[in-house]
């Protein structure tokens, strides 16, 4: 007799050994088991159907007899849930020994520059509180100062730098590259306003302004506004070549 459960094929040897199908049938009822647990159930089912022969089962599936014995004991002691993967986290974890003064300074700088990475925060630390870039990153993680969505986006951007900047262009100082874009803001009554945003690639300094339309005249006016507001000379501007930036 053959059956399927949660997309995993299993052979039930009920005609060979009475009661051997109980493991597989229970696994079918507990359909939210992981794929690893279902595979172990299949192995134990085969093991029971072949006279509980440890050596034969171990050779057939290419596993160690001690591992098979462990699965069998966990099944008897804990049921099907005992066949799930166990956590490999060590019982004794290494405790951080970073000075509280360093932690407080890193947290203060991160809150002041929330868009800056650990590589930019680390050089700002005072000489008496110097530590490694990796330690700064671990402080970010322990204090919950990392936005996972932004981190994934930055990771993708770092892997494809050619998609962000013109070929051969190097960004080495503030103002070398300013990126501009627009987005609409829906106001009460269904009226739209458009937010023009400019961001310096290196320092993440930004300038925002609202306009009633996305006209190229407003785009030109926004560029003039950026030249006044940015505390640095604007070397180049990158846009999506949309209508607001034609002028």
């Amino acid at each position: 007799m053959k059956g399927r459960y949660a997309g995993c094929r299993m052979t039930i040897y009920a005609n060979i050994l009475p009661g051997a199908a109980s493991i597989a049938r229970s696994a079918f009822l507990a359909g939210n088991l992981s794929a690893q647990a279902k595979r172990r159930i299949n192995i134990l089912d085969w093991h029971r159907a072949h006279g509980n022969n440890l050596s034969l089962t171990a050779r057939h599936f290419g596993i160690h007899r001690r591992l098979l014995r462990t699965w069998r004991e966990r099944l008897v002691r804990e049921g099907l849930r005992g066949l799930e993967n166990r956590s490999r986290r060590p019982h004794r974890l290494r405790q951080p020994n970073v000075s509280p003064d360093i932690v407080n300074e890193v947290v203060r700088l991160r809150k002041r520059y929330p868009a800056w990475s650990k590589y930019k925060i680390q050089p700002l630390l005072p000489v008496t509180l110097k530590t490694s870039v990796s330690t700064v990153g671990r402080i970010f993680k322990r204090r919950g100062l990392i936005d996972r969505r932004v981190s994934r986006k930055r990771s993708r951007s770092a892997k494809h730098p050619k998609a962000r900047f013109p070929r051969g262009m190097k960004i080495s100082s503030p103002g070398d590259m300013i990126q501009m874009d627009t987005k609409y803001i829906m106001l009460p009554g269904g009226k739209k306003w458009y937010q023009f945003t400019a961001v310096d690639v290196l320092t993440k300094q930004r300038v925002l302004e609202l306009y009633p339309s996305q006209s190229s005249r407003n785009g030109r006016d926004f560029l003039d506004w950026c030249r006044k507001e940015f505390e640095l000379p604007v070397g180049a501007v990158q846009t999506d070549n949309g209508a607001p930036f034609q002028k």
Side-chain angles (χ1 to χ4, degrees), residues 147-237:
D147 189 333
R148 295 299 177 185
R149 296 171 298 177
V150 175
S151 296
R152 286 193 293 267
K153 183 177 179 181
R154 288 178 179 172
S155 177
R156 289 193 298 267
S157 299
K159 293 177 182 178
H160 304 283
K162 293 183 179 179
R164 296 189 295 158
F165 309 130
R167 179 174 297 183
M169 184 172 187
K170 295 182 179 180
I171 311 299
S172 57
S173 59
D176 283 352
M177 171 67 75
I178 303 295
Q179 293 179 327
M180 289 187 180
D181 203 355
T182 63
K183 67 177 296 183
Y184 72 86
I185 300 175
M186 187 66 69
L187 300 178
K191 184 175 179 58
K192 282 185 179 180
W193 277 69
Y194 295 88
Q195 175 182 302
F196 284 65
T197 306
V199 181
D200 177 55
V201 171
L202 192 62
T203 65
K204 303 305 179 183
Q205 180 182 348
R206 61 190 62 196
V207 175
L208 298 88
E209 188 66 28
L210 292 178
Y211 292 92
S213 69
Q214 283 186 308
S215 67
S216 57
R217 182 177 63 182
N218 290 337
R220 183 176 59 185
D221 179 75
F222 180 63
L223 176 59
D224 294 336
W225 177 253
C226 290
R227 287 172 174 166
K228 297 177 182 178
E229 289 296 314
F230 272 120
E231 300 175 356
L232 41 88
V234 177
V237 176

Side-chain angles (χ1 to χ4, degrees), residues 60-77:
H60 182 78
F61 290 97
I63 59 177
H64 201 281
R65 288 182 300 175
R66 183 171 61 249
L67 182 60
L68 180 61
R69 191 180 295 110
T70 299
W71 292 346
R72 189 173 60 180
E73 293 173 355
R74 282 163 52 180
L75 177 66
V76 173
R77 186 173 61 251

